[in-house]
Amino acid sequence: MNDAFTREPSWDPRLFPPAARAPRAVQTARMLLEPQGYARSLRRRFGPVFSLRTFPYRGALVCAADAASNRAVLTDHARFTGGDAAALLAPAVGSGSLICTPPPVHLGHRKLLLPPFHGARIIRWTERVRELVHTELPALLSGDGVPLRPWAQRLTLDVILRVVFGLTDPARIATFRTALSSFVAMGNLAVLFLPKPLQRDLGPLSPGGRFHRLRATVRDLAREEIAARRTESDHAHRDDVLSMLLDARDEHGAGLDDAQLLDELTGLVLAGYETTATTIAWTLHLLAHHPAARDDLIADLDEGAGRLLKATIKESGRLRPAVYNAMRTAAHDTELGGRPVPRGAFVAALFSLTHLDPELWPEPDAFRPERHVGTDPVPYSLTPFGGGVRRCIGVSLAQLETETVLREILAAAVPEPAGPLEPARLVSVTLVPAQGGRVRLRARR
Ligand code: HEM
């Protein structure tokens, strides 16, 4: 069992913010099936700081859903510590990945990983994204309605495998794709929300058994890449993350061992492709269902005005952020929004709910990109990439990919609805469109 779970305090209503009385299994199911609606109903009942009593936590997940408490959780690092808090994700991303690294090791570790994700270093991926869109456009245009998320996953996986492993061989990329898509499927990652004992490998047919088998396939592929690169006499000409990490040394001259490399690299791939693909799918799906916003954006791009592209992506990230929350643990007994929080409790900056606060965002359910034009949001009212020293390191890459896909697709096609606006479901920590974000793409003349 992960250490963070053993340190977690058990549920005691006097020690935690208020929670619904419904059984844990019911709260878990509601959070997975209607993550935004359920959280909203709890906020209406209890105010912006409340507890969610879901699996796999034995206490509760303390949720913060207004700008002030969102800021406190994301930036008050002495009270709310990162790393351990990603215990839920550790079985998926690997406990040695940056996401799961607690302070003080975290900052040095983060500095090591940041350079390849710097804005100037990632510009060169624009061309690859364009190529990928153009290769697939004919298939997208011929359909009567396609789910965009699986399509976008192919694209973002191709990019992240190049960035992280320097992969270019299409057959090898396809092998990774098959392994990763089974591993991150809703039916598999749901195991993370089972009670801890049921997450174990209880035989090949058990959910835990299946999870561990699929995880092993992904990690074996990554291991093969690391082994192959270690045998290369000279990788100085390469600029992928793997080559960079092989040369990295700490102040004592020690390099990273294979176990660390494996967690780091698989963590980056998992953090980087699903999230970006989901953002692309939600943005095009929302545009298809909001023709006025869509037509304004197309006109804006046609004129080369560049007024609405970033605003549209911000609005999509507000209404349907790809990541549900950012996690911390309470370093000591403390309070949040006047509610008690016990030491060791898991605490979530539940920005997917802060983003729907009507005091911060009038008519919060309306998709209105122009609300972001020419104004800065209230601090910590819009944080789809988290914040503080753990803010997402992939922001520039994710934005470059999303902007490029939108530019290229909207130059060639008009997204239209292919069914009703889809509700969000929770897969691990990702808020995904229930049917994959279906749209019909009508070719522009
Ligand atoms: C639209 C796409 C993406 C979204 C919405 C997103 C969102 C997030 C969020 C909410 C966090 C947690 C921040 C916090 O705890 O305060 C995070 C962390 C992280 N993300 Fe992303 N992310 C995206 C794309 C990427 C990409 C492309 C990468 C590339 C490698 C990436 C790598 C990471 C890593 C390594 C962390 C952990 C940072 C740390 O703990 O220091 N993400 N991301």
Side-chain angles (χ1 to χ4, degrees):
M1 190 184 280
N2 185 299
D3 275 358
F5 282 112
T6 57
R7 286 196 297 272
E8 189 203 356
S10 302
W11 171 250
D12 178 339
R14 291 163 305 178
L15 301 181
F16 279 89
R21 279 170 185 268
R24 219 174 265 275
V26 172
Q27 297 199 32
T28 307
R30 290 198 65 183
M31 196 190 60
L32 293 175
L33 294 174
E34 39 163 345
Q36 286 179 301
Y38 185 49
R40 224 173 192 182
S41 71
L42 295 176
R43 187 192 203 280
R44 269 198 295 271
R45 230 170 117 189
F46 301 120
V49 178
F50 54 84
S51 297
L52 257 175
R53 295 197 57 218
T54 58
F55 293 122
Y57 308 106
R58 44 176 196 173
L61 179 63
V62 174
C63 296
D66 64 357
S69 55
N70 191 37
R71 177 207 287 261
V73 175
L74 292 177
T75 63
D76 190 342
H77 306 295
R79 280 202 296 155
F80 302 110
T81 321
D84 271 3
L88 172 76
L89 289 179
V93 296
S95 55
S97 78
L98 182 68
I99 301 164
C100 300
T101 306
V105 182
H106 169 257
L107 266 189
H109 197 147
R110 187 174 159 101
K111 272 195 201 129
L112 194 65
L113 286 187
L114 275 172
F117 297 102
H118 189 270
R121 288 278 296 275
I122 50 103
I123 289 275
R124 67 204 164 112
W125 299 111
T126 314
E127 206 36 55
R128 180 64 191 155
V129 177
R130 265 197 209 129
E131 247 172 65
L132 287 164
V133 173
H134 286 283
T135 314
E136 301 238 6
L137 250 180
L140 288 177
L141 288 171
S142 66
D144 192 32
V146 276
L148 283 175
R149 190 162 161 267
W151 169 78
Q153 280 173 323
R154 281 201 294 281
L155 183 145
T156 57
L157 184 60
D158 179 288
V159 174
I160 199 80
L161 289 175
R162 283 166 194 261
V163 174
V164 173
F165 289 110
L167 285 186
T168 51
D169 173 18
R172 189 71 181 154
I173 291 177
T175 309
F176 263 93
R177 183 163 61 235
T178 309
L180 277 160
S181 43
S182 315
F183 181 55
V184 303
M186 198 175 310
N188 187 45
L189 286 190
V191 79
L192 299 175
F193 290 91
L194 290 176
K196 281 273 140 195
L198 295 182
Q199 292 191 13
R200 292 205 199 104
D201 185 350
L202 302 171
L205 295 180
S206 67
R210 185 183 147 80
F211 174 86
H212 288 284
R213 197 175 61 252
L214 295 171
R215 175 181 192 262
T217 311
V218 170
R219 290 170 72 85
D220 284 348
L221 290 172
R223 212 175 269 117
E224 284 164 20
E225 290 304 318
I226 296 170
R229 193 66 52 83
R230 278 214 194 274
T231 58
E232 247 180 36
S233 53
D234 176 20
H235 49 254
H237 60 287
R238 293 184 178 265
D239 59 0
D240 50 75
V241 181
L242 168 55
S243 298
M244 187 195 76
L245 290 185
L246 282 177
D247 291 336
R249 296 286 174 272
D250 66 14
E251 67 272 28
H252 310 294
L256 297 175
D257 63 27
D258 279 3
Q260 283 168 295
L261 277 174
L262 187 61
D263 280 3
E264 202 64 86
L265 300 171
T266 44
L268 283 175
V269 171
L270 286 166
Y273 96 101
E274 270 260 278
T275 45
T276 312
T278 304
T279 299
I280 291 171
W282 272 126
T283 310
L284 284 162
H285 186 69
L286 287 164
L287 283 170
H289 284 270
H290 296 87
R294 174 199 66 198
D295 294 346
D296 286 351
L297 175 60
I298 291 178
D300 181 70
L301 290 172
D302 285 354
E303 286 160 19
R307 204 177 67 93
L308 288 172
L309 184 58
K310 285 189 175 11
T312 302
I313 298 167
K314 274 191 192 164
E315 183 65 344
S316 163
R318 181 188 70 78
L319 204 52
R320 297 286 187 271
V323 177
Y324 189 50
N325 60 21
M327 295 283 296
R328 306 288 186 264
T329 38
H332 48 78
D333 289 348
T334 182
E335 64 75 40
L336 190 59
R339 308 282 197 187
V341 180
R343 175 178 182 209
F346 291 99
V347 182
L350 193 55
F351 45 75
S352 51
L353 188 54
T354 307
H355 292 179
L356 301 177
D357 182 345
E359 285 183 18
L360 297 167
W361 303 104
E363 293 181 57
D365 294 310
F367 179 74
R368 291 211 319 254
E370 65 295 348
R371 69 166 96 222
H372 303 281
V373 177
T375 53
D376 286 327
V378 171
Y380 293 89
S381 63
L382 184 63
T383 56
F385 292 99
V389 294
R390 304 199 80 105
R391 186 168 187 255
C392 176
I393 66 168
V395 179
S396 304
L397 177 61
Q399 280 177 341
L400 174 127
E401 290 181 82
T402 311
E403 287 180 20
T404 309
V405 168
L406 288 180
R407 275 184 207 285
E408 298 304 309
I409 288 199
L410 296 177
V414 179
E416 294 178 337
L421 183 67
E422 295 174 20
R425 300 271 186 270
L426 191 59
V427 179
S428 173
V429 290
T430 317
L431 270 189
V432 305
Q435 311 298 325
R438 294 181 68 79
V439 300
R440 182 178 298 117
L441 286 177
R442 177 169 54 81
R444 290 179 69 185
R445 282 162 203 275

PDB file of all heavy atoms in Angstrom, residues 188-204:
ATOM      1  N   ASN A 188     -10.419   0.045 -17.454  1.00  0.00           N
ATOM      2  CA  ASN A 188      -9.240  -0.409 -16.714  1.00  0.00           C
ATOM      3  C   ASN A 188      -8.899   0.539 -15.564  1.00  0.00           C
ATOM      4  O   ASN A 188      -8.714   0.121 -14.430  1.00  0.00           O
ATOM      5  CB  ASN A 188      -8.050  -0.542 -17.669  1.00  0.00           C
ATOM      6  CG  ASN A 188      -6.856  -1.164 -16.965  1.00  0.00           C
ATOM      7  OD1 ASN A 188      -7.006  -2.146 -16.246  1.00  0.00           O
ATOM      8  ND2 ASN A 188      -5.690  -0.582 -17.132  1.00  0.00           N
ATOM      9  N   LEU A 189      -8.856   1.856 -15.852  1.00  0.00           N
ATOM     10  CA  LEU A 189      -8.422   2.790 -14.801  1.00  0.00           C
ATOM     11  C   LEU A 189      -9.447   2.934 -13.675  1.00  0.00           C
ATOM     12  O   LEU A 189      -9.135   3.446 -12.609  1.00  0.00           O
ATOM     13  CB  LEU A 189      -8.076   4.153 -15.397  1.00  0.00           C
ATOM     14  CG  LEU A 189      -6.751   4.211 -16.177  1.00  0.00           C
ATOM     15  CD1 LEU A 189      -6.393   5.646 -16.498  1.00  0.00           C
ATOM     16  CD2 LEU A 189      -5.594   3.565 -15.435  1.00  0.00           C
ATOM     17  N   ALA A 190     -10.681   2.457 -13.925  1.00  0.00           N
ATOM     18  CA  ALA A 190     -11.684   2.512 -12.855  1.00  0.00           C
ATOM     19  C   ALA A 190     -11.196   1.734 -11.632  1.00  0.00           C
ATOM     20  O   ALA A 190     -11.643   1.973 -10.509  1.00  0.00           O
ATOM     21  CB  ALA A 190     -13.008   1.951 -13.350  1.00  0.00           C
ATOM     22  N   VAL A 191     -10.227   0.835 -11.841  1.00  0.00           N
ATOM     23  CA  VAL A 191      -9.701   0.049 -10.728  1.00  0.00           C
ATOM     24  C   VAL A 191      -9.101   0.951  -9.642  1.00  0.00           C
ATOM     25  O   VAL A 191      -9.098   0.622  -8.468  1.00  0.00           O
ATOM     26  CB  VAL A 191      -8.666  -0.982 -11.255  1.00  0.00           C
ATOM     27  CG1 VAL A 191      -7.321  -0.364 -11.513  1.00  0.00           C
ATOM     28  CG2 VAL A 191      -8.507  -2.137 -10.295  1.00  0.00           C
ATOM     29  N   LEU A 192      -8.634   2.137 -10.048  1.00  0.00           N
ATOM     30  CA  LEU A 192      -8.023   3.058  -9.086  1.00  0.00           C
ATOM     31  C   LEU A 192      -9.035   3.553  -8.057  1.00  0.00           C
ATOM     32  O   LEU A 192      -8.661   4.063  -7.005  1.00  0.00           O
ATOM     33  CB  LEU A 192      -7.394   4.260  -9.805  1.00  0.00           C
ATOM     34  CG  LEU A 192      -6.265   3.937 -10.789  1.00  0.00           C
ATOM     35  CD1 LEU A 192      -5.819   5.175 -11.528  1.00  0.00           C
ATOM     36  CD2 LEU A 192      -5.079   3.322 -10.052  1.00  0.00           C
ATOM     37  N   PHE A 193     -10.319   3.428  -8.374  1.00  0.00           N
ATOM     38  CA  PHE A 193     -11.357   3.900  -7.456  1.00  0.00           C
ATOM     39  C   PHE A 193     -11.987   2.747  -6.662  1.00  0.00           C
ATOM     40  O   PHE A 193     -12.995   2.932  -5.992  1.00  0.00           O
ATOM     41  CB  PHE A 193     -12.440   4.672  -8.224  1.00  0.00           C
ATOM     42  CG  PHE A 193     -11.934   5.999  -8.726  1.00  0.00           C
ATOM     43  CD1 PHE A 193     -11.379   6.102  -9.981  1.00  0.00           C
ATOM     44  CD2 PHE A 193     -11.974   7.121  -7.922  1.00  0.00           C
ATOM     45  CE1 PHE A 193     -10.876   7.307 -10.438  1.00  0.00           C
ATOM     46  CE2 PHE A 193     -11.479   8.334  -8.371  1.00  0.00           C
ATOM     47  CZ  PHE A 193     -10.930   8.432  -9.627  1.00  0.00           C
ATOM     48  N   LEU A 194     -11.402   1.565  -6.784  1.00  0.00           N
ATOM     49  CA  LEU A 194     -11.892   0.448  -5.953  1.00  0.00           C
ATOM     50  C   LEU A 194     -11.238   0.560  -4.578  1.00  0.00           C
ATOM     51  O   LEU A 194     -10.175   1.173  -4.435  1.00  0.00           O
ATOM     52  CB  LEU A 194     -11.503  -0.889  -6.592  1.00  0.00           C
ATOM     53  CG  LEU A 194     -12.219  -1.264  -7.898  1.00  0.00           C
ATOM     54  CD1 LEU A 194     -11.634  -2.565  -8.451  1.00  0.00           C
ATOM     55  CD2 LEU A 194     -13.714  -1.413  -7.662  1.00  0.00           C
ATOM     56  N   PRO A 195     -11.849  -0.074  -3.555  1.00  0.00           N
ATOM     57  CA  PRO A 195     -11.164  -0.112  -2.260  1.00  0.00           C
ATOM     58  C   PRO A 195      -9.787  -0.738  -2.464  1.00  0.00           C
ATOM     59  O   PRO A 195      -9.605  -1.598  -3.331  1.00  0.00           O
ATOM     60  CB  PRO A 195     -12.061  -1.026  -1.416  1.00  0.00           C
ATOM     61  CG  PRO A 195     -13.385  -1.038  -2.122  1.00  0.00           C
ATOM     62  CD  PRO A 195     -13.137  -0.769  -3.558  1.00  0.00           C
ATOM     63  N   LYS A 196      -8.820  -0.307  -1.666  1.00  0.00           N
ATOM     64  CA  LYS A 196      -7.415  -0.718  -1.856  1.00  0.00           C
ATOM     65  C   LYS A 196      -7.224  -2.234  -2.022  1.00  0.00           C
ATOM     66  O   LYS A 196      -6.508  -2.662  -2.925  1.00  0.00           O
ATOM     67  CB  LYS A 196      -6.569  -0.200  -0.694  1.00  0.00           C
ATOM     68  CG  LYS A 196      -6.228   1.257  -0.841  1.00  0.00           C
ATOM     69  CD  LYS A 196      -4.990   1.365  -1.652  1.00  0.00           C
ATOM     70  CE  LYS A 196      -4.996   2.479  -2.613  1.00  0.00           C
ATOM     71  NZ  LYS A 196      -3.961   2.384  -3.621  1.00  0.00           N
ATOM     72  N   PRO A 197      -7.848  -3.078  -1.157  1.00  0.00           N
ATOM     73  CA  PRO A 197      -7.576  -4.521  -1.304  1.00  0.00           C
ATOM     74  C   PRO A 197      -7.989  -5.055  -2.682  1.00  0.00           C
ATOM     75  O   PRO A 197      -7.375  -5.977  -3.200  1.00  0.00           O
ATOM     76  CB  PRO A 197      -8.432  -5.157  -0.201  1.00  0.00           C
ATOM     77  CG  PRO A 197      -8.680  -4.057   0.779  1.00  0.00           C
ATOM     78  CD  PRO A 197      -8.691  -2.785   0.008  1.00  0.00           C
ATOM     79  N   LEU A 198      -9.017  -4.453  -3.281  1.00  0.00           N
ATOM     80  CA  LEU A 198      -9.487  -4.949  -4.581  1.00  0.00           C
ATOM     81  C   LEU A 198      -8.612  -4.460  -5.740  1.00  0.00           C
ATOM     82  O   LEU A 198      -8.772  -4.872  -6.874  1.00  0.00           O
ATOM     83  CB  LEU A 198     -10.944  -4.524  -4.823  1.00  0.00           C
ATOM     84  CG  LEU A 198     -11.967  -5.128  -3.871  1.00  0.00           C
ATOM     85  CD1 LEU A 198     -13.368  -4.666  -4.245  1.00  0.00           C
ATOM     86  CD2 LEU A 198     -11.900  -6.656  -3.917  1.00  0.00           C
ATOM     87  N   GLN A 199      -7.698  -3.526  -5.443  1.00  0.00           N
ATOM     88  CA  GLN A 199      -6.792  -3.068  -6.506  1.00  0.00           C
ATOM     89  C   GLN A 199      -5.666  -4.073  -6.730  1.00  0.00           C
ATOM     90  O   GLN A 199      -4.943  -4.001  -7.717  1.00  0.00           O
ATOM     91  CB  GLN A 199      -6.186  -1.711  -6.146  1.00  0.00           C
ATOM     92  CG  GLN A 199      -7.188  -0.592  -6.134  1.00  0.00           C
ATOM     93  CD  GLN A 199      -6.509   0.767  -6.027  1.00  0.00           C
ATOM     94  OE1 GLN A 199      -5.299   0.896  -6.203  1.00  0.00           O
ATOM     95  NE2 GLN A 199      -7.290   1.788  -5.759  1.00  0.00           N
ATOM     96  N   ARG A 200      -5.504  -5.016  -5.771  1.00  0.00           N
ATOM     97  CA  ARG A 200      -4.386  -5.968  -5.900  1.00  0.00           C
ATOM     98  C   ARG A 200      -4.628  -6.934  -7.039  1.00  0.00           C
ATOM     99  O   ARG A 200      -5.761  -7.144  -7.466  1.00  0.00           O
ATOM    100  CB  ARG A 200      -4.264  -6.757  -4.596  1.00  0.00           C
ATOM    101  CG  ARG A 200      -3.810  -5.875  -3.495  1.00  0.00           C
ATOM    102  CD  ARG A 200      -3.097  -6.675  -2.406  1.00  0.00           C
ATOM    103  NE  ARG A 200      -3.093  -5.847  -1.216  1.00  0.00           N
ATOM    104  CZ  ARG A 200      -3.885  -6.040  -0.179  1.00  0.00           C
ATOM    105  NH1 ARG A 200      -4.704  -7.073  -0.148  1.00  0.00           N
ATOM    106  NH2 ARG A 200      -3.852  -5.229   0.845  1.00  0.00           N
ATOM    107  N   ASP A 201      -3.538  -7.570  -7.459  1.00  0.00           N
ATOM    108  CA  ASP A 201      -3.622  -8.587  -8.504  1.00  0.00           C
ATOM    109  C   ASP A 201      -4.157  -9.875  -7.884  1.00  0.00           C
ATOM    110  O   ASP A 201      -3.431 -10.614  -7.232  1.00  0.00           O
ATOM    111  CB  ASP A 201      -2.211  -8.786  -9.086  1.00  0.00           C
ATOM    112  CG  ASP A 201      -2.229  -9.748 -10.256  1.00  0.00           C
ATOM    113  OD1 ASP A 201      -3.280 -10.392 -10.475  1.00  0.00           O
ATOM    114  OD2 ASP A 201      -1.203  -9.853 -10.948  1.00  0.00           O
ATOM    115  N   LEU A 202      -5.463 -10.133  -8.075  1.00  0.00           N
ATOM    116  CA  LEU A 202      -6.074 -11.332  -7.474  1.00  0.00           C
ATOM    117  C   LEU A 202      -6.329 -12.389  -8.550  1.00  0.00           C
ATOM    118  O   LEU A 202      -7.322 -13.088  -8.527  1.00  0.00           O
ATOM    119  CB  LEU A 202      -7.388 -10.952  -6.771  1.00  0.00           C
ATOM    120  CG  LEU A 202      -7.283  -9.898  -5.669  1.00  0.00           C
ATOM    121  CD1 LEU A 202      -8.663  -9.440  -5.198  1.00  0.00           C
ATOM    122  CD2 LEU A 202      -6.476 -10.428  -4.483  1.00  0.00           C
ATOM    123  N   GLY A 203      -5.456 -12.430  -9.534  1.00  0.00           N
ATOM    124  CA  GLY A 203      -5.605 -13.414 -10.623  1.00  0.00           C
ATOM    125  C   GLY A 203      -5.914 -12.713 -11.925  1.00  0.00           C
ATOM    126  O   GLY A 203      -6.344 -11.555 -11.921  1.00  0.00           O
ATOM    127  N   PRO A 204      -5.704 -13.430 -13.034  1.00  0.00           N
ATOM    128  CA  PRO A 204      -5.791 -12.789 -14.358  1.00  0.00           C
ATOM    129  C   PRO A 204      -7.161 -12.188 -14.666  1.00  0.00           C
ATOM    130  O   PRO A 204      -7.265 -11.244 -15.435  1.00  0.00           O
ATOM    131  CB  PRO A 204      -5.445 -13.914 -15.333  1.00  0.00           C
ATOM    132  CG  PRO A 204      -5.386 -15.172 -14.541  1.00  0.00           C
ATOM    133  CD  PRO A 204      -5.294 -14.820 -13.092  1.00  0.00           C
TER     134      PRO A 204
END
